[in-house]
Amino acid sequence: MSKKIFSAQDWENAPSEILQTHTPDIVPICNKVKDDVESVVREIEQRGIDIAPNYKDWVELGFALVDGLGENGREYYHRISRFYPTYQREGTDKQYTHCLQSKGQGITIRSFFHLANQAGISLAPSNKEHLSILPNIQNGKTGKWIKSEEELPAFPECVFEHLPPFLNEVVNNSISVDDRDTILIGAIVCLSVCFHNVCGVYDERIVYPNLYLFVVADAGMGKGALALCRELVVPINRNLHELSKRLEQEYKEAMAAYIKSKKDSGVTMPAEPPMRMLVIPANSSASSFLKILGDNDGIGLLFESEGDTLSQTLKSDYGNYSDVLRKAFHHELVSLSRRKDREYCEVPNPRVSVALAGTPEQVRRLIPDAENGLMSRFCFYIIRFKRGIRNVFATSDISQSKNAMFKLLGDKFCYLHEEFVRQGNYSFFLPSDLQEHFIEYLSRVNEECCDEVDNKMQGVVRRMGLIAYRIMMVLTTIRHLENVHRNSSSHDKTEQLVCHEFDYSIAMSICETLLYHAVFIYRNLSGNQSKRFNSASQETGIYARRNTLYNMLPETFTKKDYDAQVSSLGENGSTANKWIEAFIKDGKLCRIEQGKYRKIF
């Protein structure tokens, strides 16, 4: 659908009926926005800078200009893009048209200014009225990753355009944006435990697709959608239970025969059968949890719709297996020893997935502070508060209920999964061009998050990279499921699953959204926000760190002195070099001569 273009005057005079019924298809052209874009583009042209050197930034640039200027941003897109070495007008035109026709993607005009600022373009506003459209510029800093609860993004529409067929069926049962997002990430996490025969190599270590998730929302805001995702693995779990019952019955019969003929020295005592299950209750003791994992070859899904169940269990002496979860995330050997009954459990290759839902306070009880290792291991998705009541009588047909639909999907997945497991083992591979893009993107995001929040965000970003890789594994495997019955490969040969560009793009888009939510949780747990999740800090970590560095500097210093202080604080050298110019612009510093500076008080 083409968007209707309104001028600033048209927008101000538009009848209320138009504003109420056509807002999603209207792009207001704000003269102030256009003036600021024009000013920045002129500087880009004067300096000949390519502010979007990689594909993802270039696409984001298009959506940003569409958000702020609609069709009027097309020529700006060409003016900026032509500094890319292989610029083509036709391809650029086609990409901008695609951005116009897509549904927003959650990217705003602020992204344009952020990209320009990252490339070294000055964003000092010509007057205070223009300040509001710039990307959170305060005291010379930008805050791309720091959002209030109301600003936290949902998954962009592009995520849902090329999902694997089975996942597409799953999310089609959603009733809202948050419901769709919760069901998608919940399904990916719940299904991740089922692909224990798929592995890849990440950071020189063998990894499996297992993921940890915490859906965060106030009471009654829709986090219950996660419970539907459990239905996808219930048939597999039920089959394991039935197997356990048969083994238990065989054990009882063998034990009775042993007791009856114990005088016969040739009869050996039967071994106790394993307790087979896929879904493990969080309300388990540490020894029980490890025993179940051991009985299931290290495979299990810890699922709870109330995060308190797990947090209360972890606080008890008998149930404190927080360290087990931290180790299991990286498939490290987990073990437990109890003096009583000379009990010892060891699981050499745990492949555990975790799916939890709870309130903001329940997050705090499970993860008391940002230093806790569980914080960076979890994906967080925050469902924002929305006032209103939905139609709870949309259907009265039991067969059309969400429970019934997800049970059918669970049966279908179980059928596909049986043949998939029977085929043998699989290795996951990410093509080299996508590997290069992945490293480039993760490096840039790491710099941004460390600059805007603090250096400890590096641990969160690094693990988000691993999470993205695992999501790619899940998406690639689910896409393969539909074709597994036509696969005639040998059962004793490991088959390679190559990541499709669609699945790479989907995983990266999902993880970028999750990273915004993780930053929000991290800052809350670090004490940078008030107790409630929806209050925003007035200054970002980078500003406080710059002040710390400035206060450590002597009245007069050289570049060598400055670099030594930067190193002592553990700051990134290239980032800190930009701060000198910021100090000069703020009137805190003056340059005496080349490489020599004096503080201004």
Side-chain angles (χ1 to χ4, degrees):
M1 181 182 293
S2 61
K3 297 180 181 292
K4 184 177 180 181
I5 307 301
F6 272 51
S7 68
Q9 185 176 1
D10 291 336
W11 183 258
E12 292 172 2
N13 298 330
S16 59
E17 309 90 80
I18 292 180
L19 294 176
Q20 291 171 2
T21 59
H22 296 289
T23 300
D25 295 322
I26 295 175
V27 179
I29 298 178
C30 175
N31 289 332
K32 291 179 181 178
V33 175
K34 190 173 182 180
D35 290 345
D36 279 322
V37 171
E38 176 66 33
S39 175
V40 171
V41 172
R42 283 180 183 173
E43 186 173 349
I44 290 171
E45 290 175 327
Q46 289 172 3
R47 297 171 59 179
I49 296 175
D50 179 14
I51 69 168
N54 62 64
Y55 179 75
K56 189 177 185 302
D57 286 344
W58 184 59
V59 172
E60 183 176 310
L61 174 64
F63 283 120
L65 292 173
V66 165
D67 172 74
L69 300 172
E71 176 61 41
N72 286 34
R74 186 183 295 272
E75 195 54 39
Y76 287 119
Y77 198 46
H78 284 290
R79 288 169 64 182
I80 298 168
S81 299
R82 68 186 180 88
F83 293 104
Y84 186 67
T86 58
Y87 161 74
Q88 292 181 338
R89 186 170 185 86
E90 183 180 352
T92 304
D93 220 38
K94 184 178 179 181
Q95 177 60 38
Y96 197 78
T97 299
H98 171 73
C99 293
L100 275 170
Q101 293 172 347
S102 297
K103 298 179 180 178
Q105 308 295 317
I107 297 171
T108 69
I109 188 63
R110 291 173 183 267
S111 294
F112 161 71
F113 294 105
H114 175 77
L115 290 170
N117 183 248
Q118 287 291 107
I121 303 296
S122 172
L123 297 182
S126 55
N127 60 65
K128 291 184 178 179
E129 291 180 352
H130 287 208
L131 187 62
S132 62
I133 68 164
L134 300 180
N136 300 331
I137 297 179
Q138 299 170 354
N139 302 312
K141 63 184 182 298
T142 62
K144 172 184 176 181
W145 292 99
I146 297 174
K147 306 281 187 186
S148 67
E149 183 178 0
E150 294 77 16
E151 294 174 319
L152 288 174
F155 296 146
E157 286 296 322
C158 62
V159 164
F160 302 94
E161 292 174 358
H162 300 289
L163 282 175
F166 180 77
L167 278 182
N168 202 44
E169 286 185 66
V170 171
V171 299
N172 281 343
N173 288 280
S174 57
I175 57 176
S176 67
V177 170
D178 283 327
D179 195 55
R180 182 177 65 170
D181 285 5
T182 302
I183 288 174
L184 175 61
I185 190 61
I188 289 172
V189 171
C190 288
L191 297 180
S192 71
V193 75
C194 300
F195 304 133
H196 46 81
N197 57 334
V198 179
C199 67
V201 178
Y202 185 93
D203 196 20
E204 301 182 11
R205 291 172 175 83
I206 294 175
V207 298
Y208 296 84
N210 304 87
L211 295 158
Y212 292 6
L213 170 68
F214 202 127
V215 176
V216 188
D218 288 323
M221 287 310 301
K223 59 183 180 293
L226 183 65
L228 294 171
C229 300
R230 186 180 185 275
E231 297 292 334
L232 299 175
V233 297
V234 161
I236 297 175
N237 192 53
R238 184 171 57 244
N239 290 344
L240 289 172
H241 271 301
E242 290 173 356
L243 174 61
S244 285
K245 287 179 182 178
R246 290 197 300 271
L247 293 174
E248 181 68 24
Q249 183 60 37
E250 292 173 5
Y251 169 74
K252 288 179 180 179
E253 292 172 359
M255 181 59 79
Y258 169 75
I259 293 173
K260 188 176 180 179
S261 60
K262 59 183 179 181
K263 293 181 180 180
D264 185 351
S265 60
V267 178
T268 58
M269 183 176 177
E272 187 178 351
M275 185 185 298
R276 304 304 301 272
M277 63 175 68
L278 185 66
V279 183
I280 305 173
N283 190 16
S284 304
S285 67
S287 58
S288 175
F289 180 72
L290 277 186
K291 176 68 167 60
I292 294 170
L293 274 185
D295 286 351
N296 289 277
D297 300 321
I299 300 159
L301 169 64
L302 198 65
F303 188 101
E304 280 298 339
S305 56
E306 291 296 335
D308 264 1
T309 304
L310 179 59
S311 58
Q312 289 169 4
T313 301
L314 294 183
K315 285 180 180 178
S316 65
D317 292 335
Y318 70 86
N320 187 8
Y321 50 88
S322 173
D323 64 319
V324 173
L325 292 179
R326 293 196 297 271
K327 291 177 181 176
F329 183 83
H330 292 291
H331 319 298
E332 298 172 8
L333 181 146
V334 292
S335 58
L336 177 144
S337 177
R338 291 279 189 268
R339 184 175 180 181
K340 186 179 178 180
D341 300 326
R342 299 174 65 85
E343 180 184 12
Y344 180 76
C345 297
E346 181 179 279
V347 181
N349 185 28
R351 284 151 288 170
V352 178
S353 296
V354 182
L356 304 174
T359 64
E361 279 306 307
Q362 289 174 347
V363 175
R364 280 188 172 278
R365 292 180 195 133
L366 178 65
I367 308 173
D369 55 66
E371 299 289 329
N372 188 292
L374 288 178
M375 194 274 142
S376 60
R377 287 165 170 81
F378 270 90
C379 306
F380 293 94
Y381 186 85
I382 300 166
I383 301 177
R384 293 131 300 193
F385 176 82
K386 293 181 181 66
R387 184 180 294 186
I389 301 294
R390 62 174 177 262
N391 179 11
V392 295
F393 302 111
T395 182
S396 57
D397 185 350
I398 292 177
S399 66
Q400 295 300 310
S401 67
K402 291 290 184 286
N403 307 79
M405 300 304 294
F406 273 79
K407 283 180 180 178
L408 290 174
L409 288 166
D411 289 337
K412 178 177 180 178
F413 178 75
C414 184
Y415 170 73
L416 295 172
H417 180 260
E418 283 178 0
E419 182 61 27
F420 174 76
V421 172
R422 194 178 296 118
Q423 288 284 344
N425 296 320
Y426 300 79
S427 65
F428 174 78
F429 177 72
L430 187 66
S432 57
D433 59 327
L434 298 182
Q435 290 180 22
E436 291 175 9
H437 182 274
F438 180 88
I439 296 298
E440 178 187 345
Y441 173 78
L442 206 63
S443 298
R444 177 168 59 84
V445 167
N446 186 55
E447 290 298 308
E448 292 171 355
C449 287
C450 288
D451 285 349
E452 293 176 22
V453 188
D454 62 46
N455 285 340
K456 292 180 181 178
M457 271 299 300
Q458 178 163 283
V460 177
V461 174
R462 282 181 173 179
R463 285 209 170 100
M464 190 58 73
L466 175 55
I467 289 167
Y469 183 79
R470 287 175 168 175
I471 291 176
M472 293 174 212
M473 294 175 77
V474 174
L475 294 172
T476 300
T477 305
I478 294 174
R479 197 178 294 278
H480 176 77
L481 285 179
E482 302 285 349
N483 303 318
V484 72
H485 289 274
R486 295 191 292 271
N487 193 326
S488 59
S489 62
S490 173
H491 289 211
D492 59 356
K493 183 180 180 182
T494 299
E495 183 179 348
Q496 189 176 71
L497 298 178
V498 180
C499 183
H500 192 283
E501 191 172 339
F502 283 153
D503 296 325
Y504 172 81
S505 178
I506 291 168
M508 297 302 283
S509 295
I510 286 174
C511 282
E512 180 164 298
T513 302
L514 293 176
L515 187 55
Y516 280 108
H517 291 241
V519 169
F520 184 84
I521 295 288
Y522 175 86
R523 296 183 69 240
N524 181 270
L525 296 177
S526 298
N528 290 335
Q529 294 172 283
S530 66
K531 191 173 181 181
R532 282 295 303 169
F533 271 21
N534 60 0
S535 65
S537 173
Q538 292 302 307
E539 64 177 40
T540 61
I542 186 173
Y543 186 56
R545 287 157 48 213
R546 278 173 48 193
N547 273 344
T548 299
L549 175 60
Y550 180 82
N551 292 333
M552 289 177 64
L553 295 169
E555 183 177 350
T556 303
F557 60 91
T558 64
K559 184 64 168 60
K560 185 177 180 180
D561 299 328
Y562 181 82
D563 290 340
Q565 293 287 17
V566 168
S567 179
S568 69
L569 289 174
E571 295 288 359
N572 179 278
S574 60
T575 298
N577 285 338
K578 300 174 185 176
W579 294 354
I580 290 181
E581 297 303 321
F583 289 141
I584 293 173
K585 285 183 180 179
D586 291 346
K588 291 184 173 183
L589 210 64
C590 68
R591 185 180 281 106
I592 302 173
E593 58 185 66
Q594 185 65 33
K596 193 171 183 179
Y597 307 88
R598 181 169 59 240
K599 293 168 74 172
I600 301 174
F601 298 94

